[in-house]
């Protein structure tokens, strides 16, 4: 019996956007931009995770 094709993965979610006027959001966004410029995908992902967590906890 042939194997079923693997499902097509969903596209990556859009990166989180910082809230205007929030210093913590701006700091995480700047760190993410720096990581991206240095081709440090791990640090960029860490910043996305921290920014999503901050947005959920401080701006929800």
């Amino acid at each position: 019996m042939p194997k079923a094709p693997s499902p097509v993965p969903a596209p990556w979610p859009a990166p989180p956007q910082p809230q205007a006027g929030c210093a913590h959001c701006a700091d995480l966004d700047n760190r993410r931009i720096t990581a991206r410029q240095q081709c440090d995908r791990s640090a960029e992902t860490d910043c996305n995770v921290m920014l999503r967590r901050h947005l959920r906890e401080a701006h929800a």
Side-chain angles (χ1 to χ4, degrees):
M1 177 175 227
K3 251 183 154 174
S6 59
V8 176
W12 290 100
Q17 297 303 308
Q19 289 282 327
C22 176
H24 192 66
C25 283
D27 176 56
L28 289 170
D29 190 40
N30 287 333
R31 289 167 55 186
R32 176 177 58 181
I33 290 168
T34 300
R36 188 178 304 133
Q37 290 170 343
Q38 295 173 348
C39 299
D40 186 347
R41 301 294 286 172
S42 178
E44 181 182 354
T45 299
D46 290 345
C47 289
N48 283 336
V49 169
M50 289 186 288
L51 183 54
R52 280 191 181 96
R53 183 179 302 144
H54 170 71
L55 289 169
R56 185 175 56 248
E57 293 173 357
H59 301 292

Tab-separated table of all heavy atoms in Angstrom:
chain	number	residue	atom	x	y	z
A	1	MET	N	0.845	-1.178	0.000
A	1	MET	CA	0.000	0.000	0.000
A	1	MET	C	0.893	1.245	0.000
A	1	MET	O	1.793	1.368	0.824
A	1	MET	CB	-0.889	-0.054	1.238
A	1	MET	CG	-1.775	1.139	1.402
A	1	MET	SD	-2.874	0.875	2.807
A	1	MET	CE	-4.370	1.358	2.055
A	2	PRO	N	0.636	2.205	-0.898
A	2	PRO	CA	1.476	3.408	-0.963
A	2	PRO	C	1.259	4.305	0.250
A	2	PRO	O	0.188	4.346	0.836
A	2	PRO	CB	1.029	4.101	-2.248
A	2	PRO	CG	-0.280	3.520	-2.603
A	2	PRO	CD	-0.379	2.174	-1.937
A	3	LYS	N	2.308	5.013	0.597
A	3	LYS	CA	2.244	5.953	1.717
A	3	LYS	C	1.434	7.186	1.314
A	3	LYS	O	1.548	7.667	0.191
A	3	LYS	CB	3.659	6.412	2.066
A	3	LYS	CG	4.198	5.884	3.332
A	3	LYS	CD	5.550	6.489	3.569
A	3	LYS	CE	5.847	6.507	5.023
A	3	LYS	NZ	7.174	6.955	5.309
A	4	ALA	N	0.655	7.691	2.253
A	4	ALA	CA	-0.091	8.927	2.006
A	4	ALA	C	0.892	10.089	1.981
A	4	ALA	O	1.869	10.109	2.730
A	4	ALA	CB	-1.124	9.138	3.106
A	5	PRO	N	0.667	11.059	1.110
A	5	PRO	CA	1.574	12.209	1.074
A	5	PRO	C	1.508	12.986	2.386
A	5	PRO	O	0.478	13.040	3.037
A	5	PRO	CB	1.059	13.040	-0.097
A	5	PRO	CG	-0.341	12.605	-0.316
A	5	PRO	CD	-0.441	11.183	0.178
A	6	SER	N	2.640	13.546	2.749
A	6	SER	CA	2.655	14.335	3.977
A	6	SER	C	1.910	15.644	3.741
A	6	SER	O	1.907	16.183	2.639
A	6	SER	CB	4.091	14.608	4.417
A	6	SER	OG	4.777	15.297	3.416
A	7	PRO	N	1.251	16.149	4.774
A	7	PRO	CA	0.491	17.389	4.599
A	7	PRO	C	1.416	18.573	4.338
A	7	PRO	O	2.569	18.583	4.746
A	7	PRO	CB	-0.236	17.557	5.936
A	7	PRO	CG	0.549	16.750	6.905
A	7	PRO	CD	1.189	15.632	6.117
A	8	VAL	N	0.889	19.544	3.658
A	8	VAL	CA	1.649	20.767	3.369
A	8	VAL	C	1.682	21.598	4.647
A	8	VAL	O	0.645	21.841	5.253
A	8	VAL	CB	0.983	21.563	2.231
A	8	VAL	CG1	1.693	22.881	1.990
A	8	VAL	CG2	0.925	20.730	0.972
A	9	PRO	N	2.869	22.000	5.087
A	9	PRO	CA	2.929	22.788	6.319
A	9	PRO	C	2.287	24.165	6.130
A	9	PRO	O	2.289	24.728	5.038
A	9	PRO	CB	4.429	22.922	6.594
A	9	PRO	CG	5.082	22.684	5.289
A	9	PRO	CD	4.167	21.777	4.497
A	10	ALA	N	1.719	24.662	7.204
A	10	ALA	CA	1.116	25.995	7.173
A	10	ALA	C	2.216	27.042	7.049
A	10	ALA	O	3.345	26.830	7.488
A	10	ALA	CB	0.323	26.225	8.454
A	11	PRO	N	1.899	28.185	6.452
A	11	PRO	CA	2.919	29.237	6.355
A	11	PRO	C	3.282	29.765	7.749
A	11	PRO	O	2.500	29.661	8.686
A	11	PRO	CB	2.246	30.323	5.523
A	11	PRO	CG	0.792	30.035	5.585
A	11	PRO	CD	0.637	28.568	5.873
A	12	TRP	N	4.479	30.309	7.863
A	12	TRP	CA	4.923	30.865	9.144
A	12	TRP	C	4.011	32.011	9.538
A	12	TRP	O	3.585	32.789	8.698
A	12	TRP	CB	6.352	31.403	9.022
A	12	TRP	CG	7.372	30.330	8.871
A	12	TRP	CD1	7.962	29.921	7.719
A	12	TRP	CD2	7.921	29.508	9.893
A	12	TRP	NE1	8.852	28.906	7.967
A	12	TRP	CE2	8.843	28.633	9.290
A	12	TRP	CE3	7.718	29.433	11.257
A	12	TRP	CZ2	9.559	27.690	10.021
A	12	TRP	CZ3	8.430	28.501	11.988
A	12	TRP	CH2	9.341	27.649	11.366
A	13	PRO	N	3.720	32.151	10.823
A	13	PRO	CA	2.910	33.299	11.248
A	13	PRO	C	3.715	34.589	11.097
A	13	PRO	O	4.946	34.577	11.139
A	13	PRO	CB	2.615	33.009	12.716
A	13	PRO	CG	3.677	32.062	13.150
A	13	PRO	CD	4.085	31.280	11.920
A	14	ALA	N	2.996	35.659	10.914
A	14	ALA	CA	3.656	36.968	10.804
A	14	ALA	C	4.337	37.289	12.134
A	14	ALA	O	3.836	36.918	13.197
A	14	ALA	CB	2.633	38.034	10.473
A	15	PRO	N	5.483	37.966	12.092
A	15	PRO	CA	6.140	38.327	13.350
A	15	PRO	C	5.272	39.306	14.139
A	15	PRO	O	4.522	40.089	13.558
A	15	PRO	CB	7.457	38.970	12.912
A	15	PRO	CG	7.296	39.290	11.483
A	15	PRO	CD	6.223	38.416	10.930
A	16	PRO	N	5.361	39.261	15.462
A	16	PRO	CA	4.557	40.167	16.281
A	16	PRO	C	4.999	41.615	16.070
A	16	PRO	O	6.164	41.889	15.801
A	16	PRO	CB	4.833	39.705	17.706
A	16	PRO	CG	6.160	39.040	17.639
A	16	PRO	CD	6.244	38.424	16.273
A	17	GLN	N	4.036	42.512	16.200
A	17	GLN	CA	4.316	43.936	16.025
A	17	GLN	C	4.300	44.629	17.375
A	17	GLN	O	3.378	44.431	18.172
A	17	GLN	CB	3.269	44.568	15.102
A	17	GLN	CG	3.276	43.988	13.698
A	17	GLN	CD	4.639	44.121	13.035
A	17	GLN	OE1	5.212	45.201	12.981
A	17	GLN	NE2	5.160	43.008	12.545
A	18	PRO	N	5.306	45.452	17.659
A	18	PRO	CA	5.362	46.135	18.955
A	18	PRO	C	4.256	47.190	19.077
A	18	PRO	O	3.800	47.751	18.078
A	18	PRO	CB	6.744	46.791	18.948
A	18	PRO	CG	7.094	46.931	17.511
A	18	PRO	CD	6.434	45.794	16.789
A	19	GLN	N	3.832	47.422	20.311
A	19	GLN	CA	2.856	48.469	20.583
A	19	GLN	C	3.571	49.819	20.591
A	19	GLN	O	4.643	49.954	21.185
A	19	GLN	CB	2.206	48.245	21.955
A	19	GLN	CG	1.265	47.081	22.015
A	19	GLN	CD	-0.086	47.399	21.406
A	19	GLN	OE1	-0.557	48.525	21.483
A	19	GLN	NE2	-0.696	46.405	20.814
A	20	ALA	N	2.973	50.785	19.939
A	20	ALA	CA	3.545	52.133	19.914
A	20	ALA	C	3.592	52.704	21.330
A	20	ALA	O	2.648	52.537	22.102
A	20	ALA	CB	2.710	53.037	19.010
A	21	GLY	N	4.689	53.341	21.670
A	21	GLY	CA	4.825	54.000	22.956
A	21	GLY	C	5.264	53.105	24.103
A	21	GLY	O	5.402	53.590	25.227
A	22	CYS	N	5.494	51.826	23.853
A	22	CYS	CA	5.924	50.914	24.910
A	22	CYS	C	7.434	50.699	24.789
A	22	CYS	O	7.919	50.173	23.787
A	22	CYS	CB	5.185	49.581	24.803
A	22	CYS	SG	5.751	48.340	26.008
A	23	ALA	N	8.161	51.092	25.819
A	23	ALA	CA	9.622	50.986	25.799
A	23	ALA	C	10.079	49.531	25.738
A	23	ALA	O	11.067	49.218	25.057
A	23	ALA	CB	10.211	51.677	27.028
A	24	HIS	N	9.386	48.632	26.427
A	24	HIS	CA	9.784	47.219	26.418
A	24	HIS	C	9.582	46.624	25.021
A	24	HIS	O	10.441	45.885	24.532
A	24	HIS	CB	9.008	46.442	27.478
A	24	HIS	CG	9.547	45.077	27.732
A	24	HIS	ND1	10.783	44.853	28.292
A	24	HIS	CD2	9.029	43.854	27.487
A	24	HIS	CE1	11.000	43.557	28.391
A	24	HIS	NE2	9.942	42.922	27.900
A	25	CYS	N	8.454	46.938	24.393
A	25	CYS	CA	8.210	46.476	23.023
A	25	CYS	C	9.299	47.003	22.082
A	25	CYS	O	9.826	46.256	21.254
A	25	CYS	CB	6.850	46.965	22.512
A	25	CYS	SG	5.413	46.082	23.129
A	26	ALA	N	9.636	48.273	22.222
A	26	ALA	CA	10.648	48.879	21.357
A	26	ALA	C	12.005	48.210	21.560
A	26	ALA	O	12.729	47.954	20.590
A	26	ALA	CB	10.741	50.375	21.636
A	27	ASP	N	12.348	47.908	22.810
A	27	ASP	CA	13.620	47.244	23.092
A	27	ASP	C	13.671	45.865	22.439
A	27	ASP	O	14.665	45.520	21.793
A	27	ASP	CB	13.823	47.123	24.606
A	27	ASP	CG	15.090	46.358	24.956
A	27	ASP	OD1	16.181	46.769	24.489
A	27	ASP	OD2	14.989	45.349	25.675
A	28	LEU	N	12.610	45.085	22.601
A	28	LEU	CA	12.589	43.748	21.998
A	28	LEU	C	12.630	43.833	20.473
A	28	LEU	O	13.289	43.032	19.815
A	28	LEU	CB	11.351	42.981	22.461
A	28	LEU	CG	11.368	42.536	23.922
A	28	LEU	CD1	10.010	42.007	24.346
A	28	LEU	CD2	12.452	41.496	24.155
A	29	ASP	N	11.940	44.812	19.910
A	29	ASP	CA	11.942	44.983	18.452
A	29	ASP	C	13.342	45.358	17.967
A	29	ASP	O	13.822	44.818	16.960
A	29	ASP	CB	10.926	46.047	18.043
A	29	ASP	CG	10.703	46.090	16.553
A	29	ASP	OD1	10.637	45.010	15.913
A	29	ASP	OD2	10.593	47.203	16.007
A	30	ASN	N	14.024	46.248	18.677
A	30	ASN	CA	15.390	46.633	18.293
A	30	ASN	C	16.344	45.443	18.391
A	30	ASN	O	17.211	45.255	17.526
A	30	ASN	CB	15.886	47.794	19.153
A	30	ASN	CG	15.213	49.093	18.794
A	30	ASN	OD1	14.780	49.294	17.673
A	30	ASN	ND2	15.100	49.984	19.765
A	31	ARG	N	16.192	44.646	19.441
A	31	ARG	CA	17.037	43.452	19.587
A	31	ARG	C	16.767	42.460	18.451
A	31	ARG	O	17.686	41.831	17.929
A	31	ARG	CB	16.783	42.804	20.945
A	31	ARG	CG	17.342	43.640	22.084
A	31	ARG	CD	16.870	43.228	23.446
A	31	ARG	NE	17.110	41.825	23.748
A	31	ARG	CZ	16.671	41.233	24.850
A	31	ARG	NH1	15.979	41.899	25.747
A	31	ARG	NH2	16.927	39.955	25.052
A	32	ARG	N	15.511	42.338	18.057
A	32	ARG	CA	15.149	41.441	16.956
A	32	ARG	C	15.744	41.933	15.636
A	32	ARG	O	16.287	41.144	14.864
A	32	ARG	CB	13.625	41.348	16.866
A	32	ARG	CG	13.139	40.513	15.706
A	32	ARG	CD	11.655	40.371	15.690
A	32	ARG	NE	10.983	41.651	15.626
A	32	ARG	CZ	9.661	41.784	15.625
A	32	ARG	NH1	8.879	40.750	15.699
A	32	ARG	NH2	9.119	42.977	15.544
A	33	ILE	N	15.682	43.222	15.391
A	33	ILE	CA	16.247	43.804	14.168
A	33	ILE	C	17.754	43.561	14.126
A	33	ILE	O	18.305	43.162	13.094
A	33	ILE	CB	15.914	45.308	14.077
A	33	ILE	CG1	14.417	45.485	13.808
A	33	ILE	CG2	16.747	45.988	13.003
A	33	ILE	CD1	13.925	46.912	13.995
A	34	THR	N	18.433	43.776	15.248
A	34	THR	CA	19.878	43.547	15.320
A	34	THR	C	20.205	42.081	15.044
A	34	THR	O	21.127	41.771	14.278
A	34	THR	CB	20.418	43.963	16.691
A	34	THR	OG1	20.157	45.355	16.887
A	34	THR	CG2	21.912	43.702	16.804
A	35	ALA	N	19.441	41.185	15.650
A	35	ALA	CA	19.670	39.747	15.433
A	35	ALA	C	19.489	39.392	13.960
A	35	ALA	O	20.279	38.639	13.384
A	35	ALA	CB	18.722	38.929	16.300
A	36	ARG	N	18.455	39.947	13.333
A	36	ARG	CA	18.210	39.671	11.910
A	36	ARG	C	19.371	40.193	11.059
A	36	ARG	O	19.818	39.505	10.131
A	36	ARG	CB	16.896	40.321	11.478
A	36	ARG	CG	16.456	39.944	10.082
A	36	ARG	CD	15.129	40.559	9.700
A	36	ARG	NE	14.092	40.214	10.662
A	36	ARG	CZ	13.241	41.107	11.182
A	36	ARG	NH1	13.288	42.373	10.835
A	36	ARG	NH2	12.325	40.715	12.041
A	37	GLN	N	19.874	41.378	11.370
A	37	GLN	CA	20.993	41.950	10.615
A	37	GLN	C	22.260	41.117	10.772
A	37	GLN	O	23.090	41.069	9.868
A	37	GLN	CB	21.245	43.386	11.058
A	37	GLN	CG	20.161	44.340	10.643
A	37	GLN	CD	20.292	45.710	11.292
A	37	GLN	OE1	20.990	45.885	12.280
A	37	GLN	NE2	19.592	46.688	10.734
A	38	GLN	N	22.405	40.463	11.913
A	38	GLN	CA	23.576	39.629	12.171
A	38	GLN	C	23.355	38.178	11.734
A	38	GLN	O	24.194	37.316	12.000
A	38	GLN	CB	23.928	39.670	13.661
A	38	GLN	CG	24.358	41.034	14.123
A	38	GLN	CD	24.552	41.116	15.628
A	38	GLN	OE1	24.165	40.227	16.382
A	38	GLN	NE2	25.151	42.210	16.077
A	39	CYS	N	22.213	37.928	11.080
A	39	CYS	CA	21.845	36.573	10.617
A	39	CYS	C	21.802	35.578	11.771
A	39	CYS	O	22.140	34.408	11.603
A	39	CYS	CB	22.784	36.100	9.513
A	39	CYS	SG	22.740	37.140	8.058
A	40	ASP	N	21.387	36.036	12.937
A	40	ASP	CA	21.252	35.180	14.118
A	40	ASP	C	19.779	34.819	14.276
A	40	ASP	O	19.024	35.461	15.009
A	40	ASP	CB	21.777	35.904	15.352
A	40	ASP	CG	21.811	35.021	16.590
A	40	ASP	OD1	21.210	33.924	16.570
A	40	ASP	OD2	22.439	35.448	17.584
A	41	ARG	N	19.348	33.786	13.543
A	41	ARG	CA	17.941	33.396	13.513
A	41	ARG	C	17.460	32.920	14.888
A	41	ARG	O	16.298	33.098	15.224
A	41	ARG	CB	17.712	32.317	12.458
A	41	ARG	CG	18.089	32.746	11.057
A	41	ARG	CD	17.216	33.838	10.531
A	41	ARG	NE	15.905	33.261	10.202
A	41	ARG	CZ	14.863	33.967	9.851
A	41	ARG	NH1	14.941	35.268	9.750
A	41	ARG	NH2	13.720	33.385	9.574
A	42	SER	N	18.335	32.322	15.666
A	42	SER	CA	17.947	31.858	16.996
A	42	SER	C	17.585	33.047	17.889
A	42	SER	O	16.542	33.032	18.552
A	42	SER	CB	19.079	31.051	17.623
A	42	SER	OG	18.730	30.634	18.913
A	43	ALA	N	18.419	34.061	17.905
A	43	ALA	CA	18.138	35.253	18.716
A	43	ALA	C	16.903	35.986	18.194
A	43	ALA	O	16.105	36.500	18.985
A	43	ALA	CB	19.341	36.183	18.725
A	44	GLU	N	16.734	36.008	16.882
A	44	GLU	CA	15.545	36.648	16.296
A	44	GLU	C	14.278	35.923	16.758
A	44	GLU	O	13.298	36.551	17.154
A	44	GLU	CB	15.643	36.630	14.772
A	44	GLU	CG	14.481	37.297	14.084
A	44	GLU	CD	14.579	37.236	12.569
A	44	GLU	OE1	15.598	36.768	12.024
A	44	GLU	OE2	13.605	37.657	11.928
A	45	THR	N	14.312	34.600	16.733
A	45	THR	CA	13.164	33.810	17.187
A	45	THR	C	12.916	34.029	18.674
A	45	THR	O	11.759	34.165	19.100
A	45	THR	CB	13.398	32.312	16.894
A	45	THR	OG1	13.540	32.144	15.485
A	45	THR	CG2	12.245	31.462	17.402
A	46	ASP	N	13.978	34.084	19.467
A	46	ASP	CA	13.825	34.346	20.903
A	46	ASP	C	13.121	35.684	21.136
A	46	ASP	O	12.231	35.779	21.987
A	46	ASP	CB	15.179	34.351	21.605
A	46	ASP	CG	15.818	32.980	21.683
A	46	ASP	OD1	15.113	31.974	21.448
A	46	ASP	OD2	17.036	32.920	21.958
A	47	CYS	N	13.509	36.698	20.378
A	47	CYS	CA	12.874	38.010	20.522
A	47	CYS	C	11.397	37.951	20.130
A	47	CYS	O	10.558	38.582	20.776
A	47	CYS	CB	13.601	39.056	19.683
A	47	CYS	SG	15.231	39.476	20.334
A	48	ASN	N	11.074	37.194	19.084
A	48	ASN	CA	9.671	37.041	18.697
A	48	ASN	C	8.871	36.390	19.821
A	48	ASN	O	7.763	36.833	20.136
A	48	ASN	CB	9.547	36.201	17.419
A	48	ASN	CG	9.900	36.976	16.177
A	48	ASN	OD1	9.824	38.190	16.142
A	48	ASN	ND2	10.293	36.260	15.146
A	49	VAL	N	9.436	35.361	20.435
A	49	VAL	CA	8.751	34.673	21.534
A	49	VAL	C	8.561	35.624	22.708
A	49	VAL	O	7.466	35.722	23.281
A	49	VAL	CB	9.538	33.410	21.962
A	49	VAL	CG1	8.995	32.834	23.257
A	49	VAL	CG2	9.521	32.375	20.849
A	50	MET	N	9.621	36.350	23.071
A	50	MET	CA	9.524	37.276	24.205
A	50	MET	C	8.542	38.405	23.918
A	50	MET	O	7.789	38.823	24.809
A	50	MET	CB	10.906	37.831	24.559
A	50	MET	CG	11.810	36.799	25.189
A	50	MET	SD	13.392	37.459	25.766
A	50	MET	CE	14.230	37.766	24.212
A	51	LEU	N	8.518	38.901	22.661
A	51	LEU	CA	7.594	39.973	22.311
A	51	LEU	C	6.154	39.468	22.337
A	51	LEU	O	5.264	40.154	22.850
A	51	LEU	CB	7.950	40.557	20.944
A	51	LEU	CG	7.116	41.748	20.474
A	51	LEU	CD1	7.105	42.872	21.511
A	51	LEU	CD2	7.624	42.259	19.134
A	52	ARG	N	5.910	38.274	21.804
A	52	ARG	CA	4.548	37.719	21.869
A	52	ARG	C	4.094	37.555	23.317
A	52	ARG	O	2.954	37.873	23.671
A	52	ARG	CB	4.489	36.368	21.163
A	52	ARG	CG	4.381	36.475	19.679
A	52	ARG	CD	4.049	35.132	19.037
A	52	ARG	NE	3.978	35.304	17.605
A	52	ARG	CZ	4.963	35.061	16.758
A	52	ARG	NH1	6.121	34.593	17.194
A	52	ARG	NH2	4.817	35.282	15.461
A	53	ARG	N	4.984	37.053	24.166
A	53	ARG	CA	4.644	36.867	25.582
A	53	ARG	C	4.353	38.219	26.229
A	53	ARG	O	3.364	38.373	26.972
A	53	ARG	CB	5.779	36.155	26.315
A	53	ARG	CG	5.469	35.872	27.767
A	53	ARG	CD	6.599	35.139	28.469
A	53	ARG	NE	6.868	33.885	27.775
A	53	ARG	CZ	8.076	33.361	27.623
A	53	ARG	NH1	9.136	33.961	28.110
A	53	ARG	NH2	8.235	32.213	26.986
A	54	HIS	N	5.200	39.209	25.979
A	54	HIS	CA	4.999	40.540	26.547
A	54	HIS	C	3.678	41.141	26.073
A	54	HIS	O	2.919	41.693	26.873
A	54	HIS	CB	6.171	41.462	26.170
A	54	HIS	CG	5.919	42.893	26.502
A	54	HIS	ND1	5.890	43.362	27.799
A	54	HIS	CD2	5.650	43.959	25.698
A	54	HIS	CE1	5.635	44.663	27.784
A	54	HIS	NE2	5.477	45.047	26.524
A	55	LEU	N	3.391	41.021	24.779
A	55	LEU	CA	2.133	41.565	24.246
A	55	LEU	C	0.930	40.919	24.921
A	55	LEU	O	-0.037	41.590	25.255
A	55	LEU	CB	2.072	41.349	22.732
A	55	LEU	CG	3.029	42.203	21.897
A	55	LEU	CD1	3.059	41.714	20.446
A	55	LEU	CD2	2.647	43.669	21.961
A	56	ARG	N	1.007	39.617	25.113
A	56	ARG	CA	-0.107	38.889	25.742
A	56	ARG	C	-0.278	39.306	27.194
A	56	ARG	O	-1.402	39.489	27.664
A	56	ARG	CB	0.156	37.385	25.636
A	56	ARG	CG	-0.954	36.502	26.128
A	56	ARG	CD	-0.699	35.027	25.882
A	56	ARG	NE	0.555	34.566	26.468
A	56	ARG	CZ	1.630	34.170	25.775
A	56	ARG	NH1	1.597	34.156	24.459
A	56	ARG	NH2	2.731	33.773	26.374
A	57	GLU	N	0.839	39.463	27.912
A	57	GLU	CA	0.757	39.758	29.349
A	57	GLU	C	0.520	41.239	29.656
A	57	GLU	O	-0.174	41.560	30.604
A	57	GLU	CB	2.031	39.281	30.031
A	57	GLU	CG	2.181	37.776	30.036
A	57	GLU	CD	3.518	37.295	30.568
A	57	GLU	OE1	4.394	38.134	30.888
A	57	GLU	OE2	3.688	36.065	30.674
A	58	ALA	N	1.089	42.124	28.862
A	58	ALA	CA	1.020	43.554	29.197
A	58	ALA	C	0.002	44.342	28.376
A	58	ALA	O	-0.447	45.404	28.813
A	58	ALA	CB	2.403	44.186	29.013
A	59	HIS	N	-0.351	43.831	27.213
A	59	HIS	CA	-1.211	44.618	26.324
A	59	HIS	C	-2.514	43.916	25.937
A	59	HIS	O	-3.208	44.386	25.044
A	59	HIS	CB	-0.449	44.992	25.047
A	59	HIS	CG	0.786	45.785	25.303
A	59	HIS	ND1	0.767	47.086	25.778
A	59	HIS	CD2	2.097	45.468	25.172
A	59	HIS	CE1	2.012	47.529	25.908
A	59	HIS	NE2	2.844	46.570	25.552
A	60	ALA	N	-2.822	42.803	26.573
A	60	ALA	CA	-4.050	42.062	26.188
A	60	ALA	C	-5.288	42.681	26.790
A	60	ALA	O	-5.345	43.374	27.692
A	60	ALA	CB	-3.948	40.612	26.626
